[in-house]
Amino acid sequence: MAKYFSFLLVLITAFSFFSCADAEPELILASASAVFDYADDSSLPQTCLAVFVQMDSEVQRAERLEMENRDTGYNWQVSSPRLFKNGEKQWACYTNLQPPANESLPTGVYDFRYVDAAGEEATSSFIVNYPAALLNSKAGDVSSLLTSVTENLALFDKNKVLIFFGKTRSNWNSNSSILRDFNGAVTKRRCLSADNNRVVCMMPEESLFEKQAANTETEDDDSDDN
């Protein structure tokens, strides 16, 4: 669960550019991402829903988030959501809402309710939509199933803590060049997003050291032959 939070929290800033005209005065926006997590190149993805709420009131008073899919009636209730501030922006979020058992993540319109510690409520709605083919896809299929894709790179340290998220730098033409800028990094993951971050595909984790080890071994073998 912590993995999803650390990785997806970086998307909060992007959500701040959305608008939400029908929201109550204290609720600026409510939005969600359908997340597809690929553990390796051969497995089908794990799915979850990540929900982000920007508030105009004090976010520390967030008590509960509720969301219900209009078509299926399936609902989630999250007590004590995670809280986050980015400058003047205040957020409540939860990034690992699991779909119903043995079912896919419901699409369509969700009614959303924010409840604060005093029992006051603010309501809104958001839409969840994604290509159905993603449910039966493998990591190599993703690029062909999404349009207008934005790609970012995530770097993690040995404790799986996110230490960088953003565009691949122009000088990063190898794992060695990444490690020169982030010597504490151990693994990397590509993050492909579409539809204004409403669909997020997390590509399999890759070690930053495997290729280095292979190259070193080859160089050692050559030196022995000499």
Side-chain angles (χ1 to χ4, degrees), residues 60-71:
Q60 289 90 342
R61 293 174 55 81
E63 180 75 17
R64 188 169 73 254
L65 308 180
E66 301 177 4
M67 44 245 114
E68 180 173 313
N69 181 269
R70 289 184 185 176
D71 294 332

Side-chain angles (χ1 to χ4, degrees), residues 41-167:
D41 291 328
S42 58
S43 300
L44 298 181
Q46 292 184 328
T47 61
C48 71
L49 187 68
V51 176
F52 304 88
V53 190
Q54 186 181 355
M55 300 302 299
D56 189 36
S57 54
E58 282 297 317
V59 73
Q60 289 90 342
R61 293 174 55 81
E63 180 75 17
R64 188 169 73 254
L65 308 180
E66 301 177 4
M67 44 245 114
E68 180 173 313
N69 181 269
R70 289 184 185 176
D71 294 332
T72 66
Y74 191 82
N75 66 82
W76 287 281
Q77 295 189 18
V78 177
S79 59
S80 302
R82 295 181 183 272
L83 308 177
F84 176 78
K85 282 191 175 184
N86 181 15
E88 296 300 316
K89 297 182 177 66
Q90 305 180 83
W91 300 86
C93 64
Y94 196 84
T95 58
N96 192 24
L97 295 168
Q98 298 293 318
N102 303 315
E103 296 184 29
S104 58
L105 187 67
T107 58
V109 178
Y110 282 73
D111 291 313
F112 175 83
R113 180 179 292 105
Y114 167 95
V115 183
D116 69 12
E120 298 295 327
E121 300 181 358
T123 60
S124 184
S125 63
F126 55 81
I127 295 175
V128 173
N129 192 28
Y130 56 84
L134 281 174
L135 295 169
N136 298 306
S137 67
K138 296 181 180 179
D141 304 325
V142 171
S143 295
S144 64
L145 297 175
L146 299 179
T147 57
S148 301
V149 174
T150 298
E151 178 172 333
N152 287 287
L153 187 70
L155 302 179
F156 300 87
D157 67 12
K158 63 181 180 180
N159 297 315
K160 304 294 185 182
V161 175
L162 182 71
I163 59 176
F164 171 84
F165 183 88
K167 296 294 184 182

Side-chain angles (χ1 to χ4, degrees), residues 7 10 150-156 162-169 172 174-175 178 182 187-192 203-204 206 208:
F7 190 83
V10 297
T150 298
E151 178 172 333
N152 287 287
L153 187 70
L155 302 179
F156 300 87
L162 182 71
I163 59 176
F164 171 84
F165 183 88
K167 296 294 184 182
T168 300
R169 297 179 181 178
W172 287 356
S174 67
N175 288 341
I178 295 175
F182 289 89
T187 58
K188 64 181 180 180
R189 297 189 78 174
R190 293 165 58 228
C191 175
L192 306 181
M203 296 295 98
E206 301 175 54
L208 290 169

